[in-house]
């Protein structure tokens, strides 16, 4: 049963389960990464057989497999995927930034170029559930950014096939290549390249502890988006909230995995008790009841505070991945929320809207990192370079100032490089 406590009884950093889930697998992952780096495709085939129980004839999904999968997916779901994809495109197109140029002083031009990352790899989990939503959320921003090649890695089933809904989502999103590999070995393949898998410049996407640790270990060889921890939801709700709705929203994250955290913060003890009762009614009805039960019992909490202003302070201290504002006039509280991955406003905006359909990204900072990190966006798939241009007269006008600055730092060669061009004039 979920714990109910007063806010004075718990520290913010203890509200969500935030232990490092990758520490225990670091050595195993290090061996896998080294094996893939040394043996390439041969290691990937061996790991597919060992971990996925799949004997593969090739690592890459063929066009025929994609077409076969597309025809196997229910037409209604294909239409929903297309609608969700368009919502995601609309939101992420607004994020796109342009290069700029500044020419405000005579003879001086400075500017910045925004350049797409050339090759990106997207990890899409398999395991206990298939996530076509992750395909859309990770690949569409990359496509909008203009990345030249977008590759997906995802585990196959025992027959060596990728879940059809993953392939359908990839086709709708415009993914270039798909590989039947998962786990740490997939991350290693993307980071170092193999005979079949291209070396990419950045790896994004969620995964289990092995995937997260592999991303940690290859960071620096490639860029990564973040080290994602277990899923989190924090529901802020007042006494007028429907306990059935609140309980359902908490369980929408608790069913992800046993390490997920679902927390309600409210100013109403009555609501807290009613939500606890609702959770006990709803959990047994879930197909993933065992997972949700473990999450709620081990990591779930209901925190009762004295007022909504204190509730908002608690939310900011926690900096959750997902934050629901189940209150009247939620926009009155929006400016007060300083730290959250994604905010869901009002009594009819469940977090599941964000997972699938609304448009904002669902790859979000966890573990309190919303204090300084961002949701996945188009910005994650571009890099910036800057440039300067000075004419002879423009440099002559500032050369002595540049040299003076350089001398202050004890860097005489820096100074000389600015003044040497004009020595003969003296």
């Amino acid at each position: 049963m979920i714990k109910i406590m007063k806010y004075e009884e718990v520290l913010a950093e203890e509200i969500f389960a935030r232990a490092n889930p990758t520490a225990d697998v670091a050595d195993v992952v290090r061996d896998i990464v080294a094996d893939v780096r040394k043996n390439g495709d041969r290691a990937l085939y061996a790991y597919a057989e060992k971990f996925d129980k799949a004997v593969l004839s090739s690592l890459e999904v063929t066009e025929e497999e994609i077409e076969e999968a597309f025809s196997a997916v229910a037409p209604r779901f294909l239409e929903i995927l297309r609608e969700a994809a368009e919502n995601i495109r609309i939101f992420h197109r607004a994020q796109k930034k342009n290069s700029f140029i500044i020419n405000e002083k005579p003879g001086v031009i400075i500017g910045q170029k925004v350049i797409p990352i050339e090759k990106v790899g997207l990890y899409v989990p398999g395991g206990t559930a298939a996530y076509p939503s992750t395909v859309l959320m990770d690949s569409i921003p990359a496509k909008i950014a203009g990345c030249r090649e977008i590759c997906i890695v995802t585990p196959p089933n025992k027959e060596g096939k990728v879940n059809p809904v993953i392939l359908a989502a990839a086709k709708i999103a415009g993914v270039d290549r798909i590989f039947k590999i998962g786990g740490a070995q997939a991350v290693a393949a993307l980071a170092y390249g193999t005979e079949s898998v291209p070396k990419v410049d950045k790896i994004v996407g969620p995964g289990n502890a092995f995937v997260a640790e592999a991303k940690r270990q290859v960071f620096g060889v490639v860029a990564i988006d973040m080290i994602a921890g277990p899923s989190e939801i924090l529901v802020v709700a007042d006494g007028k909230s429907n306990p059935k709705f609140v309980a359902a929203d908490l369980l929408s994250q608790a069913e992800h995995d046993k390490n997920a955290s679902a927390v309600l913060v409210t100013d109403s003890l009555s609501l807290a008790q009613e939500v606890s009762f609702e959770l006990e009614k709803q959990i047994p009805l879930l197909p993933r009841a065992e997972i949700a039960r473990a999450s709620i019992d081990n990591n779930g909490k209901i925190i009762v505070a004295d007022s909504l202003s204190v509730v908002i302070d608690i939310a900011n201290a926690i900096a959750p991945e997902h934050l629901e504002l189940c209150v009247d006039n939620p926009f009155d509280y929006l400016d007060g929320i300083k730290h959250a991955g994604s905010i869901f406003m009002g009594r009819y905006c469940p977090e599941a809207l964000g997972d699938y359909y609304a448009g904002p990204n669902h790859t979000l900072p966890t573990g309190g990192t919303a204090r300084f990190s961002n949701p996945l966006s188009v910005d994650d798939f571009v890099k910036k370079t800057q440039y300067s241009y000075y004419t002879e007269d423009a440099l002559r006008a500032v050369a002595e100032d540049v040299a003076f600055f350089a001398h202050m730092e004890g860097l005489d060669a820096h100074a000389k490089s600015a003044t040497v061009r004009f020595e003969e004039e003296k």
Side-chain angles (χ1 to χ4, degrees), residues 12-67:
E13 61 267 24
E14 295 175 348
I15 290 175
F16 284 147
R18 286 177 172 167
N20 179 4
T22 73
D24 293 338
V25 302
D27 290 340
V28 174
V29 168
R30 192 171 292 108
D31 290 343
I32 291 173
V33 170
D35 187 16
V36 172
R37 189 176 182 186
K38 178 181 178 181
N39 296 306
D41 283 1
R42 185 156 58 91
L44 297 178
Y45 283 114
Y47 287 125
E49 190 167 354
K50 178 178 181 180
F51 295 130
D52 304 311
K53 311 303 179 189
V55 178
L56 301 178
S57 57
S58 68
L59 295 171
E60 187 165 2
V61 175
T62 65
E63 281 297 324
E64 290 75 19
E65 287 177 296
I66 294 171
E67 292 300 330

Side-chain angles (χ1 to χ4, degrees), residues 315-316 319-323 337-343 364-365 370-371 373 375:
N316 282 323
E321 177 188 18
H322 306 100
L323 172 63
I337 300 296
K338 306 300 183 186
H339 309 301
S342 194
I343 305 171
L364 302 168
R371 291 177 293 109
S373 297

